[in-house]
Amino acid sequence: MPPNDSDSSDDESGSFTTTNVLLGYASKEPTDDEFSQLGGYPGWLDGNGAPSAELAKCKVCNSMMTLLLQLNGDLPERFPGHERKLYIFSCRRKACRKKEGTMRAIRGIRVSKASAGKPKKKANGTAPPEIPKLQPAAPSLGNSLFNSTFSTSASSNHNPFLISTTTSSQPTNPFAASPNSNTSPVSSLAPKPPQPPSTDLPTTFAQKARISSPPPTPAHKEPWPSPSSLPNPYPSYHLDAEYESLDPDPPAPSKTAMDTDAEGPGGNDDEKDAFESTIDRTFQKFADRLAQNPQQVLRYEFGGAPLLYSKTDAVGRTLTPPHPSSSSSSSSGTKIQTVSQPREGSRIPRCPNCNASRVFELQLVPQAIAELELEEEGLEGMEWGTVMLGVCEKDCAERGVGVGEVGWVEEWVGVQWEEDAKASAR
C-alpha cells in the first residue's frame, strides 16, 4: 500500500482542505448516471454477458448474494482502452454474517484492440507516475463523474469514471451509454494464455478467473439467474460525487463510552494509554473523518490508503505496515533498541489472475447501511464498520479472454466488522 497522500490543498481562504478522496453520496433523484448505483440489481458491462453465477455465491451457504455496489471504474489516463466495472456483493442470510466469504467483489474488464496492440511498459513493481495535485481551475470531479452540480477542485487523474477527454465546457457524461451497449471492437485473441480455453465454452468465458490459490478449474460457466430467482435486492440509489472537503480545525472529539470505561473504577493510566494507542485512536479518527461529511456512502481513491475502522483486527493488520523499530527501557534505565519483525499477511493478497500486487481502490462506510436498510423496519441489518476493495494494480484481463471481449476477475474484499473492533479493545 502506498502512503496516504490524500490530504492535498487548502482553498484560498484557508477555511477548508480538499483531498484527493472522492466521496459518493446516495440519491433517489434521477441523474445522468446510468451505471453506478448503490443497491438494486446488477447491470453488466456487455449487455447479457453476465459473469458466472459462481463468482457471486456466498462461500458459506452457497446461495446467491445481493448487490451492495456497482461502479463505473474506467481510468483512461492510467488504463487507456480498458473498460472496467466494479461490483460488491453480500450474503443477506443472518447465519452467514461476519464469516469469511460472505462478501465478494468482481471486476469486469474489456480491453480494446487499440490498447492491446500498444507495447507494454516494463513492469518494475512501481506505481505509475503521479498526476499533478488538484488545482482550483480543474474541472469539477462531481461533474466529470456523475454530472452533478457540486463545485470543487479536481484532477482528471482521480476521475475513475471519465470516458472522454473532451475539452468542451460541458463534461462528457460517463454514463450516457447504456450498460447493454457494446461499442468495443472484437478482434483476435490476446497473447497466448497459460492454458488454452475449452472449446465447449463461449469464448467470452473460455476460462474463468482464478478466485483462490489455486482453485479447481470449473467445468462450465454457471448462468446468471433471472431476477425472480435472486434474493430480494436492496433499494437502488443513484450516486453523486464530490471531492472530500475537511475543516482544518474541527471541533475537539468527545470522549467515547469506551474512554470513560478505561478511566472508571479499576482503570489506570497505563491501561488508558494502552487502549488509546490501539483501537480508540484508529476508530476515533475514522468517526471524526466521516463526521465532517456524514452523508457519504463510499470513499474512492485508486492506489490511496483506506480509512481504517480498526488496526487490530485481521484486515487492519493486513493493511497496516509493521513498525520498523521500537525502543524500551531496561530496569537500569538504559534504552534498548529492538527491531520488530514483519507481520505475516502485511499486505493485500496478490492478484491470483496475473500475480501482480493489488492496491486499494474504494471502501463503503456505515452511511451505506443506513441508506440500504432504510425501508427494512424490524430487521437486524448489516454489522460491518467498513468494506474495502483491493484490485489488481495492472487491471489485468481474465486469462483466456480475447481482445474486445468481456472477462471477469474476482478481487479482494476486506471487511471490518462492528464487534471486532470492540472486542479487540477489551
Side-chain angles (χ1 to χ4, degrees):
M1 295 291 295
N4 188 358
D5 294 326
S6 300
D7 295 348
S8 53
S9 60
D10 292 344
D11 72 331
E12 294 180 358
S13 65
S15 60
F16 64 89
T17 297
T18 301
T19 79
N20 288 336
V21 178
L22 175 71
L23 304 183
Y25 296 88
S27 172
K28 278 293 188 181
E29 297 298 322
T31 69
D32 292 329
D33 178 346
E34 295 182 2
F35 187 86
S36 297
Q37 67 186 47
L38 187 72
Y41 288 111
W44 306 117
L45 189 150
D46 191 21
N48 295 325
S52 171
E54 283 292 333
L55 292 176
K57 281 189 172 183
C58 174
K59 292 184 179 181
V60 176
C61 67
N62 203 40
S63 298
M64 291 298 296
M65 297 191 289
T66 306
L67 181 71
L68 292 182
L69 174 74
Q70 72 174 36
L71 201 69
N72 185 335
D74 290 346
L75 290 167
E77 293 190 12
R78 187 179 294 268
F79 305 119
H82 286 213
E83 293 179 73
R84 58 194 305 271
K85 302 294 182 280
L86 308 172
Y87 305 83
I88 299 179
F89 296 88
S90 175
C91 183
R92 299 194 67 169
R93 292 175 179 262
K94 184 176 180 180
C96 293
R97 289 178 189 166
K98 302 184 64 177
K99 295 180 180 178
E100 186 72 23
T102 58
M103 285 195 184
R104 299 175 71 176
I106 307 172
R107 173 171 53 88
I109 173 69
R110 173 166 52 195
V111 181
S112 69
K113 179 180 178 181
S115 175
K118 294 180 180 179
K120 296 183 178 180
K121 295 181 180 180
K122 182 178 180 180
N124 57 11
T126 59
E130 287 190 11
I131 303 300
K133 294 288 185 179
L134 304 178
Q135 299 295 330
S140 164
L141 174 68
N143 290 342
S144 298
L145 279 175
F146 304 102
N147 282 2
S148 68
T149 57
F150 291 115
S151 177
T152 178
S153 60
S155 166
S156 61
N157 174 59
H158 299 285
N159 177 356
F161 315 109
L162 184 62
I163 293 178
S164 171
T165 55
T166 178
T167 56
S168 64
S169 59
Q170 191 67 20
T172 301
N173 175 12
F175 309 112
S178 168
N180 295 331
S181 66
N182 181 359
T183 59
S184 294
V186 177
S187 184
S188 60
L189 290 178
K192 188 176 181 180
Q195 290 183 335
S198 174
T199 57
D200 60 350
L201 293 179
T203 55
T204 302
F205 300 96
Q207 182 178 353
K208 192 171 73 173
R210 292 191 298 167
I211 58 176
S212 60
S213 182
T217 302
H220 60 86
K221 172 199 162 195
E222 182 175 342
W224 192 267
S226 64
S228 61
S229 301
L230 293 170
N232 291 334
Y234 289 109
S236 179
Y237 294 87
H238 301 285
L239 289 174
D240 266 325
E242 66 177 339
Y243 276 115
E244 180 181 45
S245 293
L246 301 174
D247 184 345
D249 298 307
S254 59
K255 290 186 177 182
T256 65
M258 297 178 75
D259 284 318
T260 304
D261 292 342
E263 295 177 335
N268 56 56
D269 291 341
D270 290 340
E271 291 175 352
K272 180 183 176 184
D273 290 343
F275 169 76
E276 291 181 344
S277 68
T278 56
I279 182 62
D280 183 60
R281 288 184 181 179
T282 303
F283 177 75
Q284 194 67 62
K285 177 183 176 181
F286 179 88
D288 292 344
R289 190 71 170 260
L290 297 186
Q292 294 210 43
N293 297 278
Q295 296 305 309
Q296 63 183 283
V297 297
L298 69 89
R299 301 171 61 83
Y300 183 100
E301 186 182 15
F302 186 95
L307 184 61
L308 294 179
Y309 187 83
S310 167
K311 285 185 179 180
T312 58
D313 66 356
V315 173
R317 292 192 299 270
T318 295
L319 298 175
T320 304
H323 297 292
S325 63
S326 60
S327 62
S328 59
S329 298
S330 66
S331 57
S332 61
T334 303
K335 286 190 175 180
I336 302 174
Q337 191 75 14
T338 60
V339 178
S340 61
Q341 298 297 320
R343 285 193 292 259
E344 294 183 5
S346 59
R347 63 180 181 179
I348 299 175
R350 301 181 75 86
C351 174
N353 188 58
C354 71
N355 202 39
S357 297
R358 280 190 173 120
V359 296
F360 168 80
E361 183 158 4
L362 65 87
Q363 69 187 113
L364 291 170
V365 294
Q367 182 61 25
I369 299 178
E371 300 289 356
L372 293 171
E373 297 185 343
L374 183 64
E375 302 172 6
E376 300 187 354
E377 298 181 3
L379 178 67
E380 292 184 25
M382 292 177 276
E383 299 176 351
W384 46 263
T386 186
V387 179
M388 292 168 281
L389 175 65
V391 299
C392 175
E393 66 175 359
K394 295 182 178 180
D395 197 44
C396 64
E398 180 186 354
R399 292 182 300 165
V401 172
V403 174
E405 298 176 341
V406 178
W408 307 94
V409 179
E410 182 165 13
E411 294 290 14
W412 179 84
V413 176
V415 186
Q416 294 195 290
W417 304 100
E418 265 186 355
E419 295 181 4
D420 284 357
K422 298 176 183 178
S424 62
R426 295 193 182 106

